[in-house]
């Protein structure tokens, strides 16, 4: 729910006051563009910065959740870059053989840039950083979107 509302609010150019990504990546949402709520520690918050009232609607089915924000048109457009992804790497030495090798963590970080434009001019950019942990038994267990129904 928080991820869907975060993307809706971000695309509507609302001020995002508080956002924390999930600790695990689920491929059902855009990489680096998720939000979580974990009471009482983490919360997703945004603010209506339009100067006009807004209406938020939600629609849920067995297969989807949709939020829509209605308000006074601003003429702004919001885009996101593709996520930049990086993994931690380090060099490990095997004392018995004397060989070294580069190891790469399956935990990873992302960076996504949100750009707001109006009349072809960039008004602002916001960088969203996310960090995803290892999960499973010391190895990555991918959580993949189900096939289309």
């Amino acid at each position: 729910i928080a991820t869907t509302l975060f993307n809706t609010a971000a695309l509507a150019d609302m001020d995002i006051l508080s956002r924390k990504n999930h600790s695990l990546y689920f491929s059902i949402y855009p990489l680096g563009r998720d939000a979580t709520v974990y009471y009482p520690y983490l919360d997703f918050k945004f603010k209506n910065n339009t100067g006009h009232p807004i209406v938020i609607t939600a629609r849920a089915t067995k297969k989807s959740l949709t939020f829509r924000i209605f308000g006074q048109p601003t003429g702004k457009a919001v885009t996101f870059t593709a996520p930049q992804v990086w993994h931690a790497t380090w060099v490990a030495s095997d004392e018995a053989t004397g060989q070294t090798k580069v190891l790469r963590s399956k935990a990873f970080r992302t960076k996504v840039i949100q750009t707001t434009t109006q009349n072809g001019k960039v008004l602002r950019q916001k960088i969203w950083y996310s960090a995803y942990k290892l999960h499973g038994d010391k190895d990555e267990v991918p959580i993949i979107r189900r096939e289309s129904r």
Side-chain angles (χ1 to χ4, degrees):
I1 292 171
T3 294
T4 303
L5 188 55
F6 164 71
N7 278 278
T8 304
L11 286 166
D13 193 40
M14 298 287 143
D15 285 335
I16 307 301
L17 304 175
S18 176
R19 174 255 179 198
K20 173 74 174 128
N21 64 279
H22 289 88
S23 58
L24 307 176
Y25 173 64
F26 297 85
S27 63
I28 60 173
Y29 52 77
L31 180 58
R33 288 176 43 196
D34 57 309
T36 190
V37 174
Y38 181 72
Y39 180 81
Y41 306 104
L42 301 175
D43 206 357
F44 165 64
K45 297 177 187 176
F46 70 95
K47 178 181 176 183
N48 174 6
N49 59 2
T50 66
H52 300 281
I54 60 171
V55 173
I56 303 170
T57 63
R59 182 172 187 264
T61 69
K62 291 181 181 181
K63 298 179 183 179
S64 68
L65 171 65
T66 304
F67 285 105
R68 295 179 78 182
I69 297 177
F70 297 92
Q72 186 75 24
T74 64
K76 296 178 186 176
V78 175
T79 58
F80 293 92
T81 61
Q84 296 176 1
V85 179
W86 65 95
H87 298 260
T89 57
W90 63 95
V91 177
S93 298
D94 184 336
E95 291 180 19
T97 64
Q99 294 179 339
T100 60
K101 61 181 177 178
V102 175
L103 300 174
R104 180 176 156 179
S105 170
K106 291 190 178 184
F108 61 97
R109 296 180 179 274
T110 64
K111 173 184 171 183
V112 175
I113 302 172
Q114 174 186 339
T115 303
T116 303
T117 59
Q118 188 174 37
N119 300 323
K121 288 183 144 183
V122 174
L123 299 178
R124 67 179 170 162
Q125 290 190 312
K126 171 72 179 173
I127 300 175
W128 299 108
Y129 291 101
S130 300
Y132 300 96
K133 298 177 183 177
L134 284 173
H135 49 95
D137 186 18
K138 296 186 180 181
D139 201 358
E140 187 172 14
V141 179
I143 300 169
I144 301 172
R145 181 189 312 244
R146 292 186 204 163
E147 294 298 318
S148 299
R149 295 176 191 140

